[in-house]
Amino acid sequence: MCDHAFELLDLPGGIQEQIKRCNSVYHVRFPVKIRGEYQVFEGWRACHSEHKLPTKGGIRYSPHANQEEVEALAALMSLKCAVVNVPFGGAKGALRIDPREYSVDELERITRRFALELIDKNYISPSLNVPAPDMGTSSREMAWIADTYKTLFPSDVNALACVTGKPLEMSGVDGRTEATGRGVQFGLQEFFRHQDLLEESGLYGGLTGKRIVLQGLGNVGFHAGKFLQEEDGAKIIAIIERDGAIVNENGLSVEQVAQHLHKSGGVRGFHDGTFVTDGKSILEADCDILIPAAMEGQVTSDNAHRIHAKLIAEAANGPVTYEADAILRANGKTIIPDLYLNAGGVTVSYFEWTKNLSRMRYGRMARRLMESRAEQAINALRTISGLELPPEIEASLQTPVNEINLVRSGLEDTMRLGFEEIHALFKAHDGISDLRTAAYVLALRKIAHYYLHYSI
Ligand code: GLU
């Protein structure tokens, strides 16, 4: 964790040690019969901090999963939640598996068995520990986990709140799938509202026309890229994927590249761009904004000094290593840190969890009232002016007050306020020279507050 942030906070002895490490980790091995043979799977669930309950964080499926990574990501979850004022402690889980090697039926049996192991030890519970999707998992795995929990506790009215990121028809929330990418968009929009930060990073104007290199067209990268392109007018000049990169200075259609990727398994052969086999070299391409939205550890001490982007927007968890961060800052690059920028997922998970506890969809109480108020306002304007309203104004006044719009509104509010807090600290504190340190100090201060005031 960021030692410099701890130095700035000057916490009493012991508190730093408490926050630096995970409170508990459960390591489990279990066998599942696959194609006539028993295979042993290894998984982890780490709780970083119970200063707020439940603890929260995704479960990833990856052949590279290991305990050290799970613990680091659990700590990052505590920080993320604190930065954007989502009242959860941090947790993370992982199963060491390459999901591409198994059928859907096998994955269901493996997931349900993993869930049983975690439920048995209270590492999945609506009030204590609530997983969500992460790399290699999606709403499908969350549905299996929720159903396993519900089967074990049929009379628990909060059973479905044991996991978030569920399908909509299984008490999920509208907007959860797009949430992390949407949060990246809101975070970038907020950055571009701050003239001082734009000047420091050598950028000017708005997002329109900004040249973006995007790494990863998974759930986060796809939605972030699509929204920035379609709604903010940014130009996605390169997309880096597993098999290489596709480059087009005139801008790529994120939607079309994603379709090609799903059909062919890669970006090679996409009709409207030049394919580059060494995809990672495109991280270094000349552009305004680099959005690493794939794996951790993509910008390292090996390539950091060759990064051309003025702004690095960390959509993935930990895409820039500690050493690379120092090199980038020394080279005058601005970084919007992961612990803030990709907090959109857990924010909307919070909305889903509270929806499950209340058992009511968003907008049910206020929707008709708010929509009829808008109608009345339009009619009043017509009557007073004797004119028709311009169609775009009328349409915006008639924005439906439905769940997706309320979720987006709550997410935008969360991302904007989170950024304001980071920015205010960044400006006020002489010892803080970058947004990551500001975000760390902000988050650690909030977490430490609990340990200082509520520990017996
Ligand atoms: N896996 C996501 C993350 O890393 C979401 C976590 C959650 O919603 O609990 O932020």
Side-chain angles (χ1 to χ4, degrees):
M1 245 188 227
C2 187
D3 287 335
H4 181 47
F6 275 116
E7 278 162 28
L8 293 170
L9 278 165
D10 194 21
L11 297 168
I15 295 290
Q16 174 171 332
E17 204 187 323
Q18 170 64 36
I19 299 176
K20 269 193 163 177
R21 312 271 313 267
C22 279
N23 287 359
S24 70
V25 191
Y26 179 46
H27 176 197
V28 62
R29 297 170 77 244
F30 58 88
V32 180
K33 199 171 178 187
I34 305 278
R35 291 161 239 165
E37 298 276 329
Y38 284 95
Q39 275 189 32
V40 178
F41 294 89
E42 203 177 3
W44 297 265
R45 182 83 181 154
C47 284
H48 170 256
S49 173
E50 281 96 357
H51 66 285
K52 295 208 176 186
L53 286 174
T55 56
K56 191 84 188 76
I59 290 184
R60 63 173 50 183
Y61 284 3
S62 155
H64 312 293
N66 62 71
Q67 183 164 331
E68 204 186 324
E69 180 190 79
V70 174
E71 289 189 41
L73 291 168
L76 185 58
M77 285 310 301
S78 287
L79 298 168
K80 248 190 244 189
C81 293
V83 162
V84 292
N85 301 305
V86 164
F88 293 140
K92 199 82 176 191
L95 188 65
R96 187 179 289 157
I97 185 175
D98 185 346
R100 287 170 301 183
E101 288 174 5
Y102 297 88
S103 69
V104 174
D105 182 54
E106 289 164 350
L107 281 173
E108 176 169 357
R109 284 192 291 120
I110 297 162
T111 302
R112 285 183 181 273
R113 177 64 198 266
F114 187 32
L116 275 176
E117 298 288 340
L118 297 179
I119 294 165
D120 183 49
K121 297 284 187 293
N122 264 345
Y123 276 84
I124 294 180
S125 142
S127 58
L128 297 174
N129 198 326
V130 180
D134 201 82
M135 265 168 50
T137 57
S138 67
S139 58
R140 180 182 69 178
E141 284 73 16
M142 301 308 115
W144 293 331
I145 295 174
D147 186 59
T148 305
Y149 191 92
K150 206 165 159 35
T151 311
L152 286 171
F153 302 101
S155 60
D156 181 349
V157 288
N158 293 327
L160 288 174
C162 75
V163 71
T164 59
K166 299 179 291 293
L168 201 50
E169 54 282 3
M170 201 183 180
S171 301
V173 75
D174 211 357
R176 176 62 185 85
T177 306
E178 67 170 44
T180 314
R182 185 62 83 180
V184 171
Q185 178 199 27
F186 288 149
L188 272 166
Q189 286 176 350
E190 193 54 20
F191 177 89
F192 274 84
R193 288 190 189 100
H194 289 78
Q195 200 50 43
D196 57 321
L197 296 177
L198 288 177
E199 271 164 30
E200 273 171 40
S201 42
L203 290 161
Y204 54 88
L207 272 163
T208 311
K210 289 290 170 295
R211 297 164 60 249
I212 294 179
V213 169
L214 175 65
Q215 184 193 32
L217 264 197
N219 183 38
V220 181
F222 168 72
H223 285 106
K226 178 178 157 71
F227 297 145
L228 287 163
Q229 172 175 73
E230 292 177 2
E231 298 172 16
D232 299 288
K235 227 201 260 180
I236 312 293
I237 59 162
I239 293 175
I240 307 167
E241 256 296 328
R242 262 183 247 263
D243 64 327
I246 194 85
V247 183
N248 183 344
E249 189 50 47
N250 298 319
L252 294 154
S253 157
V254 174
E255 190 76 58
Q256 282 179 20
V257 178
Q259 274 169 23
H260 179 85
L261 177 71
H262 292 140
K263 257 189 259 144
S264 69
V267 290
R268 182 194 290 269
F270 181 69
H271 68 280
D272 191 26
T274 309
F275 180 74
V276 178
T277 316
D278 180 9
K280 239 183 140 183
S281 67
I282 301 300
L283 290 169
E284 301 160 21
D286 172 49
C287 64
D288 296 308
I289 309 170
L290 171 64
I291 306 184
M295 308 261 295
E296 41 273 17
Q298 295 303 295
V299 183
T300 65
S301 50
D302 288 340
N303 58 0
H305 53 280
R306 293 194 300 270
I307 298 290
H308 274 84
K310 296 185 178 78
L311 176 65
I312 295 105
E314 293 186 335
N317 286 316
V320 173
T321 64
Y322 183 75
E323 296 76 23
D325 182 81
I327 298 170
L328 291 170
R329 281 189 285 116
N331 288 347
K333 309 295 181 193
T334 301
I335 302 173
I336 311 183
D338 52 0
L339 70 156
Y340 162 72
L341 196 65
N342 74 25
V346 74
T347 300
V348 176
S349 277
Y350 169 48
F351 301 158
E352 179 175 333
W353 185 74
T354 49
K355 174 186 175 179
N356 294 157
L357 296 187
S358 74
R359 278 168 283 283
M360 201 189 288
R361 81 177 140 76
Y362 287 104
R364 183 162 182 170
M365 300 298 281
R367 178 176 179 167
R368 300 293 154 186
L369 183 67
M370 289 168 79
E371 288 181 2
S372 71
R373 286 268 162 83
E375 209 51 54
Q376 286 159 17
I378 292 167
N379 288 338
L381 285 169
R382 271 198 201 113
T383 313
I384 294 166
S385 66
L387 297 167
E388 282 304 309
L389 290 185
E392 63 285 2
I393 294 183
E394 189 165 332
S396 97
L397 281 168
Q398 283 171 332
T399 303
V401 189
N402 54 13
E403 186 162 273
I404 183 83
N405 285 333
L406 289 165
V407 162
R408 284 177 182 157
S409 158
L411 177 58
E412 182 172 4
D413 186 59
T414 303
M415 295 305 292
R416 291 182 76 161
L417 290 178
F419 197 92
E420 279 317 314
E421 287 186 40
I422 296 170
H423 183 244
L425 191 62
F426 174 65
K427 288 276 125 183
H429 203 305
D430 284 345
I432 297 179
S433 56
D434 63 290
L435 295 173
R436 191 191 308 279
T437 306
Y440 264 103
V441 170
L442 185 66
L444 291 171
R445 197 165 63 186
K446 290 180 193 177
I447 297 168
H449 178 84
Y450 275 83
Y451 284 108
L452 287 168
H453 296 281
Y454 298 102
S455 302
I456 299 165

